[in-house]
Coordinates of all heavy atoms in Angstrom, one line a residue:
M25 N -4.8 -6.7 -18.3 CA -6.1 -6.1 -17.8 C -5.8 -5.0 -16.9 O -4.9 -5.1 -16.0 CB -6.9 -7.2 -17.2 CG -8.2 -6.8 -16.6 SD -9.1 -8.0 -15.9 CE -9.4 -9.0 -17.4
A26 N -6.4 -3.9 -17.0 CA -6.1 -2.7 -16.2 C -6.7 -3.0 -14.8 O -7.8 -3.5 -14.7 CB -6.6 -1.5 -16.7
T27 N -6.1 -2.6 -13.8 CA -6.6 -2.6 -12.5 C -6.5 -1.2 -11.9 O -5.8 -0.4 -12.2 CB -5.8 -3.6 -11.6 OG1 -4.4 -3.2 -11.5 CG2 -5.9 -5.0 -12.1
V28 N -7.4 -1.0 -10.9 CA -7.4 0.3 -10.2 C -7.3 0.0 -8.7 O -7.7 -1.1 -8.2 CB -8.7 1.0 -10.5 CG1 -8.9 1.4 -12.0 CG2 -9.9 0.3 -10.1
C29 N -6.7 1.0 -8.1 CA -6.6 0.9 -6.6 C -7.8 1.5 -6.0 O -8.1 2.7 -6.3 CB -5.4 1.6 -6.2 SG -5.3 1.8 -4.4
P30 N -8.6 0.8 -5.2 CA -9.9 1.4 -4.6 C -9.6 2.5 -3.7 O -10.4 3.4 -3.6 CB -10.5 0.1 -3.9 CG -9.3 -0.8 -3.7 CD -8.4 -0.6 -4.8
L31 N -8.4 2.5 -3.1 CA -8.1 3.6 -2.2 C -7.7 4.8 -3.0 O -8.2 5.9 -2.6 CB -6.9 3.1 -1.2 CG -6.7 4.0 0.0 CD1 -7.9 4.0 0.8 CD2 -5.5 3.3 0.8
C32 N -7.0 4.7 -4.0 CA -6.6 5.8 -4.9 C -7.9 6.5 -5.5 O -7.9 7.7 -5.7 CB -5.6 5.5 -5.9 SG -4.0 5.1 -5.3
N33 N -8.8 5.6 -5.8 CA -10.0 6.1 -6.6 C -11.2 6.4 -5.6 O -12.2 6.6 -6.0 CB -10.4 5.1 -7.5 CG -9.4 5.0 -8.7 OD1 -9.5 5.7 -9.7 ND2 -8.4 4.1 -8.6
G34 N -10.9 6.4 -4.3 CA -12.0 6.9 -3.3 C -13.1 5.8 -3.2 O -14.2 6.1 -2.8
L35 N -12.9 4.6 -3.6 CA -13.9 3.6 -3.6 C -13.9 2.9 -2.2 O -14.8 2.2 -1.9 CB -13.6 2.5 -4.6 CG -13.6 3.0 -6.0 CD1 -13.2 1.8 -7.0 CD2 -14.9 3.5 -6.5
T36 N -12.9 3.2 -1.4 CA -12.8 2.6 -0.1 C -12.0 3.5 0.8 O -11.4 4.4 0.3 CB -12.2 1.2 -0.1 OG1 -12.3 0.6 1.2 CG2 -10.7 1.3 -0.4
V37 N -12.1 3.3 2.1 CA -11.3 4.0 3.0 C -10.3 3.2 3.8 O -10.5 2.0 3.9 CB -12.2 4.8 4.0 CG1 -13.1 5.8 3.4 CG2 -13.1 3.8 4.8
L38 N -9.2 3.7 4.2 CA -8.2 2.9 4.9 C -8.7 2.6 6.3 O -9.1 3.4 7.0 CB -7.0 3.8 4.9 CG -5.8 3.1 5.4 CD1 -5.4 1.9 4.4 CD2 -4.6 4.1 5.5
T39 N -8.6 1.3 6.6 CA -9.0 0.9 7.9 C -8.0 0.1 8.7 O -8.3 -0.6 9.7 CB -10.3 0.0 7.8 OG1 -10.0 -1.1 6.9 CG2 -11.5 0.7 7.2
A40 N -6.8 0.1 8.1 CA -5.7 -0.6 8.8 C -5.3 -0.1 10.1 O -5.2 1.1 10.3 CB -4.6 -0.7 7.9
P41 N -5.1 -1.0 11.1 CA -4.7 -0.5 12.5 C -3.1 -0.3 12.5 O -2.4 -1.0 11.8 CB -5.1 -1.6 13.4 CG -5.0 -2.9 12.5 CD -5.4 -2.4 11.1
C42 N -2.7 0.6 13.3 CA -1.3 0.8 13.6 C -0.8 -0.5 14.2 O -1.3 -0.8 15.3 CB -1.1 2.1 14.4 SG 0.6 2.3 14.9
P43 N 0.4 -0.9 13.8 CA 1.0 -2.1 14.4 C 1.5 -1.8 15.8 O 1.8 -2.8 16.5 CB 2.0 -2.6 13.4 CG 2.4 -1.3 12.6 CD 1.2 -0.5 12.6
R44 N 1.7 -0.6 16.0 CA 2.3 -0.2 17.3 C 1.3 0.1 18.4 O 1.4 -0.3 19.6 CB 3.3 1.0 17.1 CG 4.2 1.2 18.3 CD 4.9 2.5 18.1 NE 6.0 2.4 17.0 CZ 6.8 3.3 16.6 NH1 6.6 4.5 17.1 NH2 7.7 3.2 15.7
C45 N 0.2 0.9 18.0 CA -0.7 1.3 19.0 C -2.2 0.9 18.7 O -3.1 1.2 19.5 CB -0.6 2.8 19.3 SG -1.2 3.8 18.0
Q46 N -2.3 0.3 17.5 CA -3.7 -0.2 17.2 C -4.6 0.9 16.8 O -5.8 0.7 16.4 CB -4.3 -1.0 18.2 CG -3.4 -2.2 18.6 CD -3.0 -3.1 17.5 OE1 -3.7 -3.4 16.6 NE2 -1.6 -3.3 17.4
E47 N -4.2 2.2 16.8 CA -5.1 3.2 16.3 C -5.1 3.1 14.8 O -4.2 2.6 14.1 CB -4.5 4.6 16.7 CG -4.6 4.8 18.2 CD -6.0 5.0 18.6 OE1 -6.8 5.6 17.9 OE2 -6.5 4.5 19.7
P48 N -6.3 3.6 14.2 CA -6.3 3.6 12.7 C -5.2 4.4 12.0 O -5.1 5.5 12.5 CB -7.7 4.1 12.4 CG -8.5 3.9 13.7 CD -7.5 4.0 14.7
V49 N -4.6 3.9 11.1 CA -3.5 4.7 10.4 C -4.2 5.5 9.3 O -5.3 5.3 8.9 CB -2.4 3.8 9.8 CG1 -1.6 3.1 10.9 CG2 -3.0 2.8 8.8
E50 N -3.5 6.6 8.9 CA -4.0 7.3 7.8 C -3.3 7.2 6.6 O -2.0 7.0 6.6 CB -3.9 8.8 8.3 CG -4.8 9.0 9.6 CD -5.1 10.6 9.7 OE1 -5.0 11.3 8.8 OE2 -5.5 10.9 10.8
D51 N -4.0 7.3 5.5 CA -3.3 7.2 4.1 C -2.4 8.4 3.8 O -2.9 9.5 3.8 CB -4.4 7.0 3.1 CG -3.8 6.8 1.7 OD1 -2.7 6.5 1.6 OD2 -4.6 7.0 0.7
G52 N -1.2 8.2 3.6 CA -0.3 9.2 3.2 C -0.1 9.4 1.7 O 0.7 10.1 1.3
G53 N -0.9 8.6 1.0 CA -0.8 8.8 -0.5 C 0.0 7.6 -1.2 O 0.6 6.8 -0.5
Q54 N -0.2 7.6 -2.4 CA 0.5 6.5 -3.1 C 2.0 6.7 -3.2 O 2.5 7.8 -3.3 CB -0.1 6.5 -4.6 CG 0.4 5.3 -5.4 CD -0.3 5.6 -6.8 OE1 0.2 6.4 -7.6 NE2 -1.3 4.7 -7.2
M55 N 2.7 5.6 -3.0 CA 4.1 5.7 -3.1 C 4.6 6.0 -4.5 O 4.2 5.5 -5.5 CB 4.8 4.4 -2.6 CG 4.6 4.1 -1.2 SD 5.3 2.4 -0.8 CE 7.1 2.8 -1.3
E56 N 5.6 6.9 -4.6 CA 6.2 7.2 -5.9 C 6.9 5.9 -6.5 O 7.5 5.2 -5.7 CB 7.2 8.3 -5.7 CG 6.5 9.7 -5.5 CD 7.5 10.7 -5.4 OE1 8.6 10.6 -6.0 OE2 7.2 11.8 -4.8
G57 N 6.8 5.8 -7.7 CA 7.6 4.6 -8.3 C 6.9 3.3 -8.0 O 7.5 2.3 -8.2
Y58 N 5.7 3.3 -7.6 CA 5.0 2.0 -7.3 C 4.9 1.0 -8.5 O 4.9 -0.2 -8.4 CB 3.6 2.2 -6.6 CG 2.6 2.4 -7.6 CD1 1.7 1.4 -8.0 CD2 2.5 3.7 -8.3 CE1 0.7 1.7 -9.0 CE2 1.5 3.9 -9.3 CZ 0.6 2.9 -9.6 OH -0.3 3.1 -10.5
D59 N 4.9 1.7 -9.6 CA 4.7 0.9 -10.9 C 6.1 0.9 -11.6 O 6.0 0.6 -12.8 CB 3.7 1.6 -11.7 CG 3.9 3.0 -12.1 OD1 4.9 3.5 -11.5 OD2 3.3 3.6 -13.0
D60 N 7.1 1.0 -10.9 CA 8.4 1.0 -11.5 C 8.6 -0.5 -12.1 O 8.2 -1.5 -11.5 CB 9.5 1.2 -10.5 CG 10.9 1.3 -11.1 OD1 11.4 0.3 -11.7 OD2 11.5 2.4 -11.0
P61 N 9.2 -0.5 -13.3 CA 9.3 -1.9 -14.0 C 10.3 -2.8 -13.2 O 10.2 -4.0 -13.2 CB 9.8 -1.6 -15.4 CG 10.3 -0.3 -15.3 CD 9.5 0.5 -14.2
Y62 N 11.1 -2.1 -12.4 CA 12.0 -3.0 -11.6 C 11.4 -3.4 -10.3 O 10.6 -2.5 -9.8 CB 13.3 -2.2 -11.3 CG 14.1 -1.9 -12.5 CD1 14.0 -0.7 -13.2 CD2 14.9 -2.9 -13.2 CE1 14.7 -0.4 -14.3 CE2 15.5 -2.7 -14.4 CZ 15.5 -1.4 -14.9 OH 16.1 -1.1 -16.1
S63 N 11.6 -4.5 -9.8 CA 10.9 -4.9 -8.6 C 11.2 -4.0 -7.4 O 12.3 -3.8 -7.1 CB 11.4 -6.3 -8.2 OG 10.8 -6.8 -7.0
P64 N 10.1 -3.5 -6.8 CA 10.3 -2.7 -5.6 C 10.5 -3.6 -4.3 O 10.8 -3.0 -3.3 CB 9.0 -1.8 -5.6 CG 8.0 -2.7 -6.1 CD 8.7 -3.5 -7.2
Y65 N 10.3 -4.7 -4.5 CA 10.2 -5.6 -3.3 C 11.6 -6.0 -2.8 O 11.7 -6.6 -1.8 CB 9.4 -6.9 -3.6 CG 8.1 -6.6 -4.1 CD1 7.8 -6.8 -5.4 CD2 7.2 -6.0 -3.3 CE1 6.5 -6.5 -6.0 CE2 5.9 -5.6 -3.8 CZ 5.6 -5.9 -5.1 OH 4.4 -5.6 -5.6
E66 N 12.6 -5.6 -3.5 CA 14.0 -5.8 -3.0 C 14.4 -4.7 -2.1 O 15.5 -4.7 -1.4 CB 14.9 -5.9 -4.2 CG 14.6 -7.2 -5.0 CD 15.5 -7.3 -6.2 OE1 16.4 -6.5 -6.4 OE2 15.3 -8.2 -7.0
D67 N 13.6 -3.6 -2.0 CA 13.9 -2.5 -1.2 C 13.7 -2.9 0.2 O 12.7 -3.4 0.6 CB 13.0 -1.3 -1.5 CG 13.5 0.0 -0.8 OD1 13.8 -0.1 0.3 OD2 13.5 1.0 -1.5
D68 N 14.8 -2.6 1.1 CA 14.7 -3.1 2.5 C 13.5 -2.3 3.3 O 13.0 -2.8 4.2 CB 16.0 -2.7 3.2 CG 17.0 -3.6 2.7 OD1 16.8 -4.7 2.2 OD2 18.3 -3.2 3.0
L69 N 13.1 -1.3 2.7 CA 12.0 -0.5 3.3 C 10.6 -1.1 3.2 O 9.6 -0.8 3.9 CB 11.9 1.0 2.9 CG 13.1 1.8 3.1 CD1 13.0 3.1 2.5 CD2 13.3 2.0 4.7
L70 N 10.6 -2.0 2.1 CA 9.3 -2.6 1.8 C 9.1 -4.0 2.4 O 10.1 -4.8 2.3 CB 9.0 -2.6 0.4 CG 9.1 -1.2 -0.3 CD1 8.9 -1.4 -1.8 CD2 8.1 -0.3 0.2
V71 N 8.0 -4.3 2.8 CA 7.7 -5.7 3.2 C 6.7 -6.3 2.2 O 5.6 -5.8 2.0 CB 7.0 -5.7 4.6 CG1 6.7 -7.1 5.0 CG2 8.0 -5.1 5.6
P72 N 7.0 -7.3 1.5 CA 6.1 -7.9 0.6 C 4.8 -8.3 1.2 O 4.8 -8.9 2.2 CB 7.0 -9.1 0.0 CG 8.4 -8.8 0.3 CD 8.3 -8.0 1.6
A73 N 3.7 -8.1 0.4 CA 2.5 -8.5 0.9 C 2.4 -10.0 0.5 O 3.1 -10.5 -0.3 CB 1.4 -7.7 0.2
P74 N 1.5 -10.7 1.3 CA 1.2 -12.0 0.9 C 0.9 -12.2 -0.5 O 0.0 -11.6 -1.1 CB 0.0 -12.5 1.8 CG 0.0 -11.4 2.9 CD 0.6 -10.2 2.3
N75 N 1.6 -13.0 -1.2 CA 1.4 -13.3 -2.6 C 1.8 -12.2 -3.5 O 1.5 -12.2 -4.7 CB 0.0 -13.8 -2.9 CG -0.3 -15.1 -2.1 OD1 0.5 -15.9 -2.0 ND2 -1.5 -15.0 -1.6
A76 N 2.4 -11.1 -3.0 CA 2.6 -9.9 -3.8 C 3.6 -10.3 -4.9 O 3.6 -9.7 -6.0 CB 3.2 -8.8 -2.9
G77 N 4.5 -11.3 -4.7 CA 5.5 -11.5 -5.7 C 4.9 -12.3 -6.8 O 5.5 -12.3 -8.0
E78 N 3.7 -12.8 -6.7 CA 3.1 -13.5 -7.7 C 2.6 -12.7 -8.9 O 2.7 -12.9 -10.0 CB 2.0 -14.4 -7.2 CG 2.4 -15.5 -6.3 CD 1.3 -16.3 -5.8 OE1 0.1 -16.1 -6.3 OE2 1.5 -17.2 -4.8
D79 N 2.0 -11.5 -8.4 CA 1.6 -10.6 -9.4 C 1.6 -9.1 -8.8 O 0.6 -8.7 -8.3 CB 0.1 -10.9 -9.8 CG -0.4 -10.1 -10.9 OD1 0.3 -9.1 -11.4 OD2 -1.4 -10.4 -11.6
P80 N 2.8 -8.5 -8.9 CA 2.9 -7.2 -8.2 C 2.0 -6.1 -8.8 O 1.7 -5.1 -8.1 CB 4.4 -6.9 -8.4 CG 4.9 -7.8 -9.5 CD 4.0 -9.0 -9.5
Q81 N 1.5 -6.3 -10.0 CA 0.7 -5.3 -10.6 C -0.6 -5.2 -9.9 O -1.4 -4.2 -10.1 CB 0.4 -5.6 -12.1 CG 1.7 -5.6 -12.9 CD 2.5 -4.2 -12.7 OE1 1.9 -3.2 -12.7 NE2 3.8 -4.3 -12.6
K82 N -1.0 -6.1 -9.1 CA -2.3 -6.2 -8.4 C -2.2 -5.4 -7.0 O -3.2 -5.3 -6.3 CB -2.8 -7.6 -8.2 CG -3.2 -8.3 -9.5 CD -3.9 -9.5 -9.1 CE -4.5 -10.2 -10.5 NZ -5.2 -11.3 -10.2
W83 N -1.1 -4.8 -6.8 CA -1.0 -4.1 -5.5 C -0.6 -2.7 -5.7 O 0.2 -2.3 -6.5 CB 0.1 -4.9 -4.7 CG -0.2 -6.3 -4.4 CD1 0.2 -7.3 -5.0 CD2 -1.0 -6.7 -3.2 NE1 -0.4 -8.5 -4.5 CE2 -1.1 -8.1 -3.4 CE3 -1.7 -6.0 -2.2 CZ2 -1.8 -8.9 -2.5 CZ3 -2.4 -6.8 -1.3 CH2 -2.4 -8.2 -1.5
C84 N -1.2 -1.8 -5.0 CA -0.8 -0.4 -5.0 C -0.3 -0.1 -3.6 O -0.9 -0.3 -2.6 CB -2.1 0.4 -5.2 SG -1.7 2.2 -5.2
W85 N 1.0 0.4 -3.6 CA 1.6 0.6 -2.3 C 1.3 2.0 -1.9 O 1.5 3.0 -2.6 CB 3.1 0.3 -2.5 CG 3.4 -1.1 -2.6 CD1 3.5 -1.8 -3.8 CD2 3.7 -1.9 -1.5 NE1 3.7 -3.1 -3.5 CE2 4.0 -3.2 -2.1 CE3 3.9 -1.8 -0.1 CZ2 4.3 -4.4 -1.4 CZ3 4.3 -2.9 0.6 CH2 4.5 -4.2 0.0
H86 N 0.9 2.1 -0.7 CA 0.6 3.4 -0.1 C 1.5 3.7 1.1 O 1.8 2.7 1.9 CB -0.9 3.4 0.4 CG -1.9 3.6 -0.7 ND1 -2.6 4.9 -0.8 CD2 -2.2 3.0 -1.7 CE1 -3.3 4.8 -1.9 NE2 -3.1 3.6 -2.5
L87 N 1.8 4.9 1.3 CA 2.5 5.3 2.5 C 1.3 5.5 3.6 O 0.3 6.1 3.2 CB 3.2 6.6 2.4 CG 4.4 6.6 1.4 CD1 4.9 8.0 1.0 CD2 5.5 5.9 2.0
V88 N 1.5 5.0 4.7 CA 0.6 5.2 5.8 C 1.3 5.7 7.1 O 2.5 5.4 7.3 CB -0.2 3.9 6.0 CG1 -1.1 3.6 4.9 CG2 0.7 2.8 6.5
Y89 N 0.5 6.4 7.8 CA 1.2 6.9 9.1 C 0.2 7.0 10.2 O -1.0 7.0 9.9 CB 1.8 8.3 8.9 CG 0.8 9.4 8.5 CD1 0.3 10.2 9.6 CD2 0.4 9.6 7.3 CE1 -0.7 11.2 9.3 CE2 -0.5 10.6 6.9 CZ -1.1 11.3 8.0 OH -2.0 12.3 7.7
C90 N 0.7 7.0 11.4 CA -0.2 7.0 12.5 C 0.0 8.3 13.3 O 1.0 8.7 13.6 CB 0.2 5.9 13.5 SG -0.7 5.8 15.1
R91 N -1.1 9.0 13.5 CA -1.1 10.2 14.2 C -0.8 10.0 15.8 O -0.3 10.9 16.4 CB -2.4 11.0 14.1 CG -2.5 11.9 12.9 CD -3.7 12.8 13.0 NE -4.0 13.4 11.7 CZ -5.1 14.0 11.5 NH1 -6.1 14.1 12.5 NH2 -5.4 14.6 10.4
Q92 N -1.2 9.0 16.2 CA -1.1 8.7 17.6 C 0.4 8.6 18.1 O 0.8 9.2 19.0 CB -1.9 7.5 18.1 CG -3.3 7.7 18.0 CD -3.9 8.6 19.0 OE1 -3.4 8.7 20.1 NE2 -4.9 9.4 18.6
C93 N 1.1 7.7 17.3 CA 2.5 7.4 17.8 C 3.6 7.8 16.8 O 4.7 7.6 17.1 CB 2.6 5.9 18.2 SG 2.5 4.8 16.8
G94 N 3.1 8.2 15.6 CA 4.1 8.7 14.7 C 4.6 7.5 13.8 O 5.7 7.7 13.0
W95 N 4.2 6.3 13.9 CA 4.6 5.3 13.1 C 4.3 5.5 11.6 O 3.2 6.1 11.3 CB 3.9 4.0 13.5 CG 4.2 2.7 12.7 CD1 5.3 1.9 12.9 CD2 3.6 2.2 11.6 NE1 5.3 1.0 11.9 CE2 4.2 1.1 11.1 CE3 2.4 2.7 10.9 CZ2 3.8 0.4 10.0 CZ3 2.0 1.9 9.8 CH2 2.7 0.8 9.4
E96 N 5.3 5.1 10.8 CA 5.1 5.3 9.3 C 5.4 4.0 8.7 O 6.3 3.2 9.2 CB 5.9 6.4 8.8 CG 5.6 7.8 9.2 CD 6.4 8.8 8.5 OE1 7.4 8.4 8.0 OE2 6.0 9.9 8.5
G97 N 4.7 3.6 7.6 CA 5.0 2.4 7.0 C 4.4 2.4 5.6 O 3.8 3.4 5.1
N98 N 4.5 1.2 5.0 CA 4.0 1.0 3.6 C 2.9 0.0 3.7 O 3.1 -1.1 4.3 CB 5.1 0.6 2.7 CG 6.3 1.5 2.7 OD1 6.0 2.7 2.7 ND2 7.4 1.0 2.7
L99 N 1.9 0.2 3.0 CA 0.7 -0.7 3.0 C 0.3 -1.1 1.6 O 0.0 -0.2 0.8 CB -0.4 -0.1 3.7 CG -1.7 -1.0 3.8 CD1 -1.4 -2.0 4.9 CD2 -2.9 -0.2 4.2
P100 N 0.3 -2.4 1.3 CA -0.1 -2.8 -0.1 C -1.6 -2.9 -0.1 O -2.2 -3.5 0.7 CB 0.5 -4.1 -0.2 CG 0.6 -4.7 1.1 CD 0.8 -3.6 2.1
V101 N -2.2 -2.2 -1.1 CA -3.6 -2.2 -1.2 C -4.0 -3.1 -2.5 O -3.5 -2.8 -3.6 CB -4.2 -0.9 -1.4 CG1 -5.7 -0.9 -1.6 CG2 -3.8 0.0 -0.3
A102 N -4.8 -4.1 -2.3 CA -5.2 -5.0 -3.4 C -6.0 -4.3 -4.4 O -6.9 -3.5 -4.1 CB -5.9 -6.2 -3.0
Q103 N -5.5 -4.3 -5.7 CA -6.2 -3.6 -6.7 C -7.4 -4.3 -7.2 O -7.4 -5.6 -7.1 CB -5.3 -3.2 -7.8 CG -4.1 -2.4 -7.4 CD -3.6 -1.5 -8.5 OE1 -4.4 -1.1 -9.4 NE2 -2.3 -1.3 -8.6
R104 N -8.3 -3.6 -7.8 CA -9.5 -4.3 -8.4 C -9.4 -4.2 -9.9 O -8.7 -3.3 -10.4 CB -10.8 -3.6 -7.9 CG -11.0 -3.7 -6.5 CD -12.2 -2.9 -6.1 NE -12.5 -2.9 -4.7 CZ -13.4 -2.2 -4.1 NH1 -14.2 -1.4 -4.8 NH2 -13.6 -2.2 -2.8
E105 N -10.1 -5.0 -10.6 CA -10.1 -4.9 -12.0 C -10.9 -3.6 -12.4 O -11.8 -3.2 -11.8 CB -10.9 -6.1 -12.7 CG -10.1 -7.4 -12.5 CD -10.8 -8.6 -13.1 OE1 -11.9 -8.4 -13.7 OE2 -10.3 -9.7 -13.0
G106 N -10.4 -3.0 -13.4 CA -11.0 -1.7 -13.8 C -12.4 -1.8 -14.3 O -12.8 -2.9 -14.8
L107 N -13.2 -0.8 -14.1 CA -14.6 -0.9 -14.6 C -14.6 -0.9 -16.1 O -13.8 -0.2 -16.8 CB -15.3 0.3 -14.0 CG -15.4 0.3 -12.5 CD1 -16.1 1.5 -12.0 CD2 -16.2 -0.9 -11.9
Ligands
ZN214 ZN1 -3.6 3.3 -4.4
ZN215 ZN1 0.3 4.1 16.3

């Protein structure tokens, strides 16, 4: 079943707070290779989302950054079933 990322498709806006300063982070775009057939979760740069290992296809990884303090990270966005 196809899923879509609500953030990629403009169905929602990013509201995650920066872990360092609590300011809202900004979406830096979808990570390249997010749909790589090889598991991306072994990359040290990535932190698996809760239950992400159960069905990685349901997560769209986004690069996010904070304008306030310069923090950068990866955020998994839960995908929705396609319309
Ligand atoms: Zn996305
Ligand atoms: Zn910050």
